[in-house]
Amino acid sequence: MSKPKSNNAKTVSVALTLCLVCSVLVSAVAVGLKPAQVENARLDRNKNILIAADMYDAESDTAEDVAERFKDFDVEIVDLNNGSYVDDNALLEAGIPDRNAYDASQATKNAALSEDLGENDPAGIGRKPKYAKVYVKNDEAGKPEMVVLPIQGYGLWGTIYGFLTLESDMNTIRGISFYEHKETPGLGARIEEPEWRAKWSGIHSYDAEGNVATGVTKAGTPKENWVDGISGATLTGRGVSNMIQFWLGDQGYKPYLDSLRKESGQTLESADTQANQSTKPAAQPKTELAATLPVANGKEA
């Protein structure tokens, strides 16, 4: 007795049905997990902001602690060209409907929200966003106690993303964190280690003339006010150094930091005096600072 011939049409039909069912299931799972993924990304970002601000204890702090502590920060959008805050109406006109959802990294892919750096690109980021999101913690008098600045730049194998926190003098570094990179494990990836990040604490960003006065040296070649590099990770250190100098410079946050400093009645020289806890009187400013800023107006969950 002969066996029935295989039905190719039936086989194809079953295969297509299985593919359709599987694709529907995968899509459903992806859609169902999306809110959790967004929440985890937000939590990780806020945690790294707190790490840079020296407000996070990895051994004891919970997700609830991170959420509660992050409430102390205002989220602001800064126009990097003039250092001023951008209000919601101006953001809407620029094509940014929600300050909390704004992503400066994604903005670099939008020609209307970024500018090509061409050859003047020491950090290797290609395009600079016109607007940056910053996080400000104010004191009881409403004056900035610290400001957390997103930073990014090319390392050895890819772009390094992090946060840099400055004290109220807008000069002294409080802390730094790196949350995404492709650096070599055990070498360049050591930029994440607390021991190396701690070396940035207390470093001055600028000299009295307003020039960026810090960076990363080659390992074993110490330099005053600079951070010693990681042995075997020279190119990663150079990338971090270029990134720091770019974002603290005129193309980055310097106009904004100058404005904050002027608003609080400080100069770089007086900031240095306070940071060194010196009793010497502050000298007269040598640089003209940018215009004052409008009142902060943003909160982010």
Side-chain angles (χ1 to χ4, degrees), residues 211-277:
N211 302 310
V212 179
T214 190
V216 181
T217 67
K218 187 176 180 180
T221 56
K223 182 179 179 180
E224 185 179 1
N225 202 61
W226 284 52
V227 172
D228 194 22
I230 298 168
S231 181
T234 300
L235 294 181
T236 297
R238 186 179 302 166
V240 171
S241 191
N242 291 339
M243 171 173 58
I244 294 293
Q245 293 176 355
F246 174 86
W247 287 105
L248 289 177
D250 291 324
Q251 289 182 287
Y253 296 109
K254 188 174 185 297
Y256 168 61
L257 298 172
D258 285 346
S259 297
L260 282 181
R261 201 178 298 109
K262 184 175 182 179
E263 188 180 52
S264 63
Q266 297 190 78
T267 68
L268 283 167
E269 290 177 324
S270 66
D272 283 346
T273 300
Q274 293 176 16
N276 289 324
Q277 298 181 343

Side-chain angles (χ1 to χ4, degrees), residues 63-268:
E64 289 74 19
D65 294 325
V66 171
E68 185 62 30
R69 211 162 292 154
F70 190 77
K71 292 178 181 178
D72 293 338
F73 289 87
D74 291 334
V75 59
E76 297 292 346
I77 306 298
V78 174
D79 185 326
L80 290 176
N81 289 322
N82 59 30
S84 64
Y85 287 136
V86 186
D87 63 28
D88 288 336
N89 289 332
L91 286 176
L92 194 59
E93 291 179 4
I96 304 173
D98 183 359
R99 69 174 56 243
N100 292 331
Y102 175 69
D103 186 335
S105 297
Q106 292 299 315
T108 60
K109 302 174 183 179
N110 185 334
L113 294 176
S114 62
E115 56 187 66
D116 189 351
L117 292 172
E119 296 182 357
N120 191 17
D121 185 17
I125 59 175
R127 301 186 66 87
K128 183 187 80 170
K130 293 180 179 179
Y131 308 101
K133 181 189 290 186
V134 301
Y135 304 87
V136 184
K137 185 176 185 294
N138 294 312
D139 59 21
E140 293 181 355
K143 295 183 177 180
E145 179 181 324
M146 68 179 78
V147 58
V148 184
L149 309 171
I151 54 176
Q152 66 182 79
Y154 202 85
L156 174 59
W157 301 113
T159 303
I160 300 171
Y161 297 89
F163 294 103
L164 179 72
T165 301
L166 298 183
E167 299 277 9
S168 60
D169 60 9
M170 302 304 146
N171 188 15
T172 307
I173 294 176
R174 180 182 179 93
I176 195 169
S177 68
F178 300 100
Y179 63 90
E180 184 180 336
H181 62 79
K182 298 178 182 178
E183 302 309 287
T184 307
L187 293 173
R190 291 178 59 197
I191 59 175
E192 286 189 76
E193 294 180 357
E195 294 78 12
W196 193 75
R197 291 190 292 100
K199 295 180 179 180
W200 290 92
S201 180
I203 292 289
H204 284 178
S205 302
Y206 305 100
D207 60 22
E209 284 72 39
N211 302 310
V212 179
T214 190
V216 181
T217 67
K218 187 176 180 180
T221 56
K223 182 179 179 180
E224 185 179 1
N225 202 61
W226 284 52
V227 172
D228 194 22
I230 298 168
S231 181
T234 300
L235 294 181
T236 297
R238 186 179 302 166
V240 171
S241 191
N242 291 339
M243 171 173 58
I244 294 293
Q245 293 176 355
F246 174 86
W247 287 105
L248 289 177
D250 291 324
Q251 289 182 287
Y253 296 109
K254 188 174 185 297
Y256 168 61
L257 298 172
D258 285 346
S259 297
L260 282 181
R261 201 178 298 109
K262 184 175 182 179
E263 188 180 52
S264 63
Q266 297 190 78
T267 68
L268 283 167

